[in-house]
Amino acid sequence: MTGAPRGAGLGTPWHMLRIGRAARRGSPGSGTRSLALLFATAVLCLAFTALVAVYAGYAGTQERTGARSPQRVADGHTTTVARYVLRHDTLDDARSYTVAFVEPVDAAAAPPPGLASWPAPGRAVLSPALLTAGAAQHIADRYGTLAGTIGPQGLASPSERFAYVRPEHPMRGMADARPIHGFGTAPEWGNGDFTHQRPIWNLLLTVCGFLLLPAAACVVLAARIGADERDRRTALVAALGALPSHRRLLVIGEALVPVVAGAVVGALPAVVACVIDVPVPFVHFTLYAPDLRARAPWCAGLAVLAVAVMLTAVTALHRHRRPGSATRPRVSRPALARAATWACPLFLLAASYGPGLAPSPALRVLLQVVGTLGGFATLPSLIAAACRAAGSALAALSRHRAGPAALVSGRWMAASPATTARLVCSVVIAIGLTGEAQLWMSRMAEPVRQATAVHAVVGDSVLKVVSPRRLTPEFAQSLPGQAALLSLDENKGTIGVTAACSDLKAVHLPCRSTAVTPAKEADRRLQFALGRDADITTTVTTDRPAHTSRAALVLSRGGTALDVSGIKQTANRTLAPGTAVSTLGTDWISGGMVLKDQSGWLLFFGLLGTCVLAIGFALNTQAEFLRQGRAAAPLAALCGRRTVFYGLSGWSLLAPLLASGVIGVLVYSWLAGPLTADGYASTSSTLMLVGLGVSAALGLGLWACGGTSAARISSRWRPNGD
């Protein structure tokens, strides 16, 4: 007689949930499954939080940048409240920051957001991040007397470098000093960190590809851990008359506690980020706490969604097999596996050597991409074959040397190479894909490499000065004695240089007017500053030039380093507001810093995704190890000691993880060959060290946990006729 079990009614769902919870506590290997469920839910919640944080950071940045963007006086607006000029400057690290020169016309007008009042003439208000970064370069005195710091509501992010400067001399008459009638409009291009932001979908895709997909893989792995135990339990309750809804409640009751705990753990970073500002590693960006706090309901809702997704995956991936359905053996495809095994090295060879033989750049890129993706797609088959061979070799070697742990581990690896191959491939592919992204980003920075090479040659011995107005005698006279000042004026392809005789001789130019000298015959630094093929016409003055041009070069005598910070401070005091003073190549290097920071997001999420995949597959492998460890429990009685399980754990978990880190770094270095051969790209030692460190730390942790768990299981084993 079949039907609903006796007592079915209102209390049945809760009763089935309690049965599932009790089954979780009593089943072998429940600790590993609970940890896997907790970890998968936590990383899924973290991935959702990262998506919200990206949106919140972009929205907050645009909102505050728009609030401080000036409203230009145009037709229909006749009231001018201030004059405003945007300029950019750099510190020694070549990272660009924005300087806003302001001069109120109406003292009663509201100042920009983040300022309590308009700064007085000759005073500056800087962001806290700029003050901290430029402390060693006397940034507090560069633009005048420090009058305070910009409030957080006036900054795109807490890590933004920004300055408001009110010049000591009036800005009236400056062509670039545009009149404004207030603040608050669409975000202005060139206004702070907003200038360097890429479209939001770029970062959202990065989060999805490097964090959300690994989290989804961990969800599937965690849902299937311990499936054999649950299959037997499901068959039992089905035989007792349980309905499909009851079986689902049983599975949910087993997973509910670790899943909810995982959601709580995964929500902790969001809670912290809602309370304090959180700096992002590898990226010069700090998440502003109020931005995420305003989206706190989203974070809470997504934490609940993570629980729902995890419980849905647990029930959907738990397949109840009908009696007799599992007796037929599954058909394998050895021919396909063998073909993939041989294809993998061919793909890797094509990715490494193919681009060098391709006749066109497009074909070179195509070979690189196809070879890389094909190599990663067929790598599991190659590693599985290697694991099978390594297991057989380990078993044969251990048989001669009488090592029980290595013998059993070798037999396991040879019989089930896919289990070890999944663990190794997860780390190798994660390191390889992250490395490919890093290599392509570094390759895009070729102009930066050239500018860095120029800067390495000339250093701080050459400065270029560009002023909105002409140079002043005060600036020329305030330069240090070791500095030579050359005033520049380009006319019909010929560069005119006006300087005192001593300064001309210091850079190997003739001390006579109207003389034409090729740049390659002058000081080598002039070749970098003006161009190797430039022709230089000299004009001699009795004193250092002033009121002759708006551009000049300041060179040190003998090639020694100049006091860049001091000269910038002098220029801001004696020249027109917005005067640019920079070393050679700074503009290119500054752009490279922007690209480096943007690629830092790839490195950050790539390393995070690598760790997530490695831990997820490691927990899956440990669960398989414990399942096999129960079958090896009699080894403790045969060997007379339980330490043999630490040897099993070392060969089954620690050794594959150590090997996966090394193989991942080798694959990354191998695939980097075509991209680094011409010097346009470079590998990341940070990525290599992190990959090796994560695999080693994870291997040691699993070795200890797996050995301890297997030894504990063996202590409860009693002979029962098996």
Side-chain angles (χ1 to χ4, degrees):
M1 182 175 182
T2 61
R6 174 179 254 180
L10 183 62
T12 300
W14 298 108
H15 185 61
M16 298 303 293
L17 291 175
R18 288 196 299 271
I19 292 176
R21 181 180 179 185
R24 176 182 61 85
R25 291 196 299 265
S27 62
S30 60
T32 301
R33 173 169 168 76
S34 298
L35 184 59
L37 290 172
L38 187 152
F39 176 75
T41 310
V43 296
L44 184 62
C45 186
L46 181 62
F48 288 156
T49 301
L51 293 174
V52 176
V54 168
Y55 177 80
Y58 267 77
T61 295
Q62 294 195 11
E63 179 182 353
R64 288 184 293 275
T65 302
R68 75 184 182 200
S69 294
Q71 299 173 352
R72 307 291 184 181
V73 172
D75 295 339
H77 295 284
T78 57
T79 303
T80 298
V81 300
R83 295 181 180 87
Y84 189 93
V85 174
L86 278 181
R87 289 290 184 267
H88 295 89
D89 202 352
T90 59
L91 296 176
D92 285 350
D93 60 2
R95 282 189 167 84
S96 175
Y97 62 90
T98 301
V99 181
F101 292 92
V102 294
E103 182 185 64
V105 175
D106 182 4
L115 300 187
S117 61
W118 294 97
R123 293 181 176 269
V125 185
L126 311 182
S127 68
L130 181 58
L131 272 176
T132 302
Q137 303 169 49
H138 308 288
I139 191 66
D141 303 325
R142 177 175 294 186
Y143 304 103
T145 305
L146 182 65
T149 58
I150 304 174
Q153 67 274 19
L155 298 173
S157 70
S159 58
E160 185 182 35
R161 300 178 182 182
F162 200 91
Y164 284 106
V165 178
R166 183 173 179 180
E168 187 172 357
H169 304 290
M171 299 167 60
R172 189 178 297 108
M174 286 183 56
D176 294 339
R178 298 182 179 179
I180 63 174
H181 63 90
F183 295 92
T185 182
E188 184 181 32
W189 188 256
N191 195 332
D193 287 352
F194 174 77
T195 307
H196 309 312
Q197 279 191 341
R198 299 185 66 83
I200 186 173
W201 60 266
N202 283 7
L203 196 51
L204 290 176
L205 286 179
T206 301
V207 175
C208 291
F210 286 95
L211 186 56
L212 189 58
L213 284 182
C218 289
V219 168
V220 175
L221 290 173
R224 292 300 298 161
I225 284 180
D228 53 343
E229 294 289 341
R230 293 197 306 282
D231 286 343
R232 287 193 291 268
R233 185 168 60 246
T234 301
L236 175 61
V237 297
L240 294 176
L243 299 175
S245 59
H246 297 151
R247 294 195 295 268
R248 286 193 292 269
L249 288 172
L250 189 68
V251 174
I252 291 175
E254 179 196 19
L256 185 60
V257 173
V259 167
V260 172
V264 172
V265 173
L268 286 179
V271 174
V272 173
C274 287
V275 176
I276 61 174
D277 300 334
V278 178
V280 181
F282 306 110
V283 183
H284 284 261
F285 178 80
T286 300
L287 181 63
Y288 190 37
D291 289 343
L292 193 60
R293 195 182 307 141
R295 277 83 183 175
W298 292 19
C299 296
L302 289 175
V304 176
L305 178 61
V307 173
V309 169
M310 191 70 238
L311 293 178
T312 302
V314 168
T315 55
L317 296 177
H318 177 64
R319 311 180 192 87
H320 172 55
R321 297 175 180 173
R322 297 178 180 177
S325 62
T327 58
R328 184 183 299 277
R330 296 183 179 181
V331 179
S332 60
R333 298 180 179 180
L336 183 61
R338 284 196 299 269
T341 301
W342 287 104
C344 182
L346 297 179
F347 276 120
L348 294 178
L349 286 173
S352 181
Y353 292 102
L357 303 176
S360 65
L363 190 56
R364 284 197 292 270
V365 174
L366 180 62
L367 284 174
Q368 173 75 15
V369 173
V370 171
T372 300
L373 295 180
F376 285 150
T378 55
L379 186 62
S381 297
L382 178 62
I383 291 184
C387 289
R388 184 181 295 107
S392 300
L394 179 62
L397 180 64
S398 302
R399 186 171 61 250
H400 295 302
R401 301 198 175 189
L407 177 62
V408 174
S409 298
R411 291 299 187 190
W412 282 351
M413 191 181 300
S416 303
T419 302
T420 306
R422 284 194 296 267
L423 176 63
V424 175
C425 286
S426 65
V427 180
V428 173
I429 294 177
I431 294 176
L433 289 178
T434 306
E436 281 293 299
Q438 178 270 325
L439 285 167
W440 281 104
M441 291 300 294
S442 67
R443 187 175 180 83
M444 293 169 60
E446 167 57 14
V448 181
R449 187 187 67 84
Q450 297 178 357
T452 304
V454 171
H455 189 269
V457 175
V458 300
D460 293 338
S461 66
V462 182
L463 293 178
K464 188 172 183 178
V465 182
V466 179
S467 177
R469 296 177 178 173
R470 298 186 181 276
L471 304 180
T472 63
E474 185 181 1
F475 171 73
Q477 294 169 5
S478 62
L479 291 175
Q482 65 163 341
L485 178 63
L486 307 182
S487 176
L488 302 180
D489 185 19
E490 185 173 358
N491 184 19
K492 296 181 180 180
T494 301
I495 299 176
V497 172
T498 303
C501 188
S502 58
D503 291 343
L504 291 174
K505 290 181 178 180
V507 293
H508 306 157
L509 288 175
C511 182
R512 61 180 184 273
S513 298
T514 68
V516 178
T517 304
K520 59 185 178 182
E521 297 180 7
D523 191 299
R524 186 185 180 189
R525 293 172 293 174
L526 292 180
Q527 300 177 27
F528 293 112
L530 306 178
R532 181 177 178 83
D533 299 328
D535 292 329
I536 302 173
T537 301
T538 57
T539 302
V540 182
T541 61
T542 56
D543 200 356
R544 283 183 168 176
H547 297 294
T548 57
S549 69
R550 299 180 180 181
L553 290 178
V554 180
L555 302 92
S556 64
R557 303 174 189 271
T560 57
L562 293 168
D563 181 11
V564 179
S565 298
I567 295 177
K568 285 187 175 184
Q569 183 178 354
T570 298
N572 287 318
R573 187 183 71 252
T574 60
L575 297 177
T579 297
V581 180
S582 60
T583 55
L584 295 185
T586 297
D587 293 340
W588 287 103
I589 299 175
S590 178
M593 290 297 111
V594 174
L595 186 62
K596 180 180 179 181
D597 291 341
Q598 291 173 350
S599 63
W601 290 105
L602 291 176
L603 184 60
F604 170 65
F605 284 112
L607 292 177
L608 191 59
T610 299
C611 296
V612 167
L613 274 180
I615 295 174
F617 277 92
L619 290 174
N620 180 266
T621 306
Q622 184 183 10
E624 183 69 16
F625 168 75
L626 293 179
R627 186 182 69 83
Q628 294 176 341
R630 290 194 296 273
L635 277 178
L638 297 175
C639 299
R641 48 188 169 83
R642 292 190 299 165
T643 55
V644 66
F645 294 102
Y646 288 95
L648 290 174
S649 178
W651 286 109
S652 300
L653 298 175
L654 177 58
L657 277 170
L658 292 178
S660 66
V662 175
I663 295 172
V665 170
L666 291 177
V667 170
Y668 165 51
S669 302
W670 176 270
L671 295 177
L675 298 177
T676 58
D678 52 8
Y680 288 178
S682 60
T683 56
S684 172
S685 58
T686 301
L687 178 60
M688 295 183 184
L689 292 176
V690 170
L692 292 174
V694 168
S695 59
L698 189 59
L700 290 172
L702 289 180
W703 166 73
C705 293
T708 302
S709 300
R712 188 182 299 116
I713 291 173
S714 71
S715 65
R716 297 194 296 265
W717 175 81
R718 295 294 181 271
N720 56 2
D722 54 354

